Amino acid sequence: MSTAVARRSTLPGFGLTMGLTLTWLSVIILIPLAGLFLKSLELSPEQFWAILSSRRTLNALRVSFGLAFAAACVNLVMGSIIVWALVRYRFPGRRLFDAIVDIPFALPTAVAGVALTQLFAQKGWLGAPLAELGIKVAFTPIGIFIAMIFIGIPFVVRTVQPVLIDLDPEIEEAAGSLGASRWQTIIRVILPSLAPALLTGLALAFARAVRPRKPDDVNLREPSDVIMALRRQRPLRLANMCRKPGRAIMSPPSRLAPAYLDQIQ
């Protein structure tokens, strides 16, 4: 009897919390996945293969996974260099640069996309010099690639940074005193200790870059395509916070898009 009471008191409320966890998991993940699987069973194998091999599906997979993996690899290399500079060296403005790394965490993805579009547009600060060289970034896969790098690099930096802080520099000094070169110290001493954190950061950056996007987003290549996509959406409601509560400005996307495109072109 006492053993049963002790077992119950070890984790009080375990049954209730486990039930709530499984219920929430089923509602959010399992039930939608099951519905998606059951819905796909309504298609014949020929229809399923036709959808899977369509040009729109292949473009979506290529952009979502191909560019996301490439951006994650770039973040892995550049993030490791940033972490090494922030942890191993002391220089003026180090804390400021360390805080700047967290900007993609706090900045919404939509705001980051608009800011990057303004920056790399044909009349933007960086887009104008590139346009003179014949390189177009905005509304191209190159722009998507840059945006994925921007939103994914903090995951690598913040994952590897605490591990590198805990790595004692005396280990590197001991390897050097035993005759190891700098590259041997990096490959045989530092990288094995950082490998789990590097792989975790790579996975997080890849998962952050792979986000649900509509097929229309994959096919957007010109500003006119953006206008057509905006016209298919519902009218936007822009609330004017400086006026009385409840008053709003109603403006259809067909009017907002040309004004926005005039700014980014």
Side-chain angles (χ1 to χ4, degrees):
M1 184 69 178
S2 60
T3 305
V5 174
R7 288 180 179 177
R8 292 196 204 97
S9 61
T10 302
L11 291 176
F14 175 76
L16 178 61
T17 55
M18 179 59 71
L20 291 176
T21 302
L22 294 178
T23 302
W24 187 255
L25 180 65
S26 301
V27 172
I28 299 299
I29 299 177
L30 298 182
I31 293 179
L33 287 179
L36 180 63
F37 179 75
L38 294 176
K39 186 66 176 179
S40 63
L41 293 179
E42 299 178 359
L43 301 175
S44 63
E46 293 78 9
Q47 293 175 338
F48 182 80
W49 178 254
I51 296 175
L52 188 63
S53 59
S54 64
R55 179 173 175 269
R56 176 170 294 185
T57 303
L58 294 178
N59 288 339
L61 294 176
R62 187 181 299 109
V63 171
S64 297
F65 293 97
L67 292 181
F69 182 75
C73 293
V74 172
N75 286 331
L76 180 65
V77 177
M78 300 306 298
S80 302
I81 297 175
I82 294 174
V83 170
W84 186 267
L86 292 176
V87 174
R88 286 291 189 260
Y89 299 98
R90 296 295 182 268
F91 52 90
R94 185 179 65 88
R95 293 185 178 181
L96 177 61
F97 285 106
D98 187 53
I100 291 176
V101 173
D102 292 330
I103 289 180
F105 280 147
L107 197 64
T109 307
V111 177
V114 172
L116 291 175
T117 303
Q118 293 273 7
L119 189 63
F120 288 97
Q122 293 184 0
K123 294 183 180 180
W125 289 352
L126 298 179
L130 293 175
E132 295 178 357
L133 299 176
I135 302 174
K136 184 179 180 181
V137 177
F139 303 102
T140 63
I142 300 177
I144 300 176
F145 179 69
I146 295 175
M148 288 180 175
I149 293 176
F150 175 78
I151 64 176
I153 197 167
F155 291 92
V156 178
V157 174
R158 294 309 180 211
T159 304
V160 180
Q161 189 174 17
V163 180
L164 186 59
I165 292 175
D166 293 337
L167 187 63
D168 196 346
E170 294 181 357
I171 300 177
E172 306 170 27
E173 298 175 359
S177 64
L178 293 175
S181 63
R182 192 59 181 170
W183 283 109
Q184 289 176 340
T185 304
I186 294 175
I187 295 174
R188 298 186 178 183
V189 178
I190 299 176
L191 283 182
S193 302
L194 298 180
L198 289 173
L199 293 178
T200 303
L202 177 67
L204 291 175
F206 177 76
R208 183 67 179 89
V210 178
R211 63 178 181 85
R213 57 171 54 86
K214 299 179 295 183
D216 292 336
D217 298 337
V218 179
N219 296 326
L220 295 183
R221 290 295 180 267
E222 299 296 337
S224 58
D225 296 333
V226 179
I227 297 177
M228 295 303 297
L230 289 174
R231 285 176 177 174
R232 290 194 294 268
Q233 298 176 0
R234 294 180 179 180
L236 302 178
R237 297 183 177 181
L238 304 179
N240 190 353
M241 303 302 296
C242 299
R243 299 181 180 181
K244 296 180 180 179
R247 299 183 63 180
I249 301 175
M250 297 295 296
S251 180
S254 57
R255 297 180 182 177
L256 291 177
Y260 171 70
L261 293 174
D262 290 340
Q263 297 294 327
I264 65 177
Q265 287 183 340

